[in-house]
Amino acid sequence: MNRPDQMTSLMQVMEKLRLDKKDNEFRWTPEGFSAGRGKTYQPEDLKIIKTFRFEGESNPDDSSVLYLIEAKDGLIGYTLDSYGAASSHDDEEGYDNFLRKIHVENRDDQLIFEL
């Protein structure tokens, strides 16, 4: 577990998600987010429950953001993107617009995810 004054790395968060069986990746498609289970989710089916931002040690352009997402059916997973001007999604406008429509829930972070 990290001390409050320590930074959390992307690898630490990904490992915690894997151990908690919350490492379902929500992938962007033009139809919505898919988690590889034959179901497509719309923004109203999802809520962002935590956001993690990471910056590369040697290059400020090496930044990413991970959104921890919960679906109405109980599935918890994530979507990961580059942060800032660069994006790792082919249809960034569609991805960004989709994310903007997802409700961001205010929760006590300690109850959701603790490293």
Side-chain angles (χ1 to χ4, degrees), residues 92-110:
E92 181 177 343
E93 183 177 326
Y95 177 84
D96 287 345
N97 288 336
F98 188 88
L99 275 176
R100 285 185 196 104
K101 294 176 186 175
I102 299 174
H103 174 73
V104 178
E105 185 168 285
N106 293 320
R107 288 191 183 178
D108 180 356
D109 293 345
Q110 297 303 318

Side-chain angles (χ1 to χ4, degrees), residues 24-90:
N24 305 290
E25 183 178 8
F26 286 97
R27 293 179 178 254
W28 165 247
T29 72
E31 292 77 38
F33 270 171
S34 172
R37 297 171 182 228
K39 185 171 183 178
T40 302
Y41 296 92
Q42 297 305 307
E44 60 272 11
D45 301 324
L46 306 168
K47 57 188 160 190
I48 296 172
I49 56 177
K50 185 151 178 68
T51 302
F52 296 90
R53 288 191 176 91
F54 307 96
E55 190 171 301
E57 289 183 33
S58 62
N59 184 352
D61 289 337
D62 185 19
S63 300
S64 58
V65 59
L66 182 142
Y67 300 95
L68 190 59
I69 297 173
E70 182 176 10
K72 283 186 177 178
D73 63 9
L75 182 69
I76 295 178
Y78 70 92
T79 187
L80 182 65
D81 193 17
S82 298
Y83 186 70
S87 176
S88 56
H89 296 279
D90 293 334

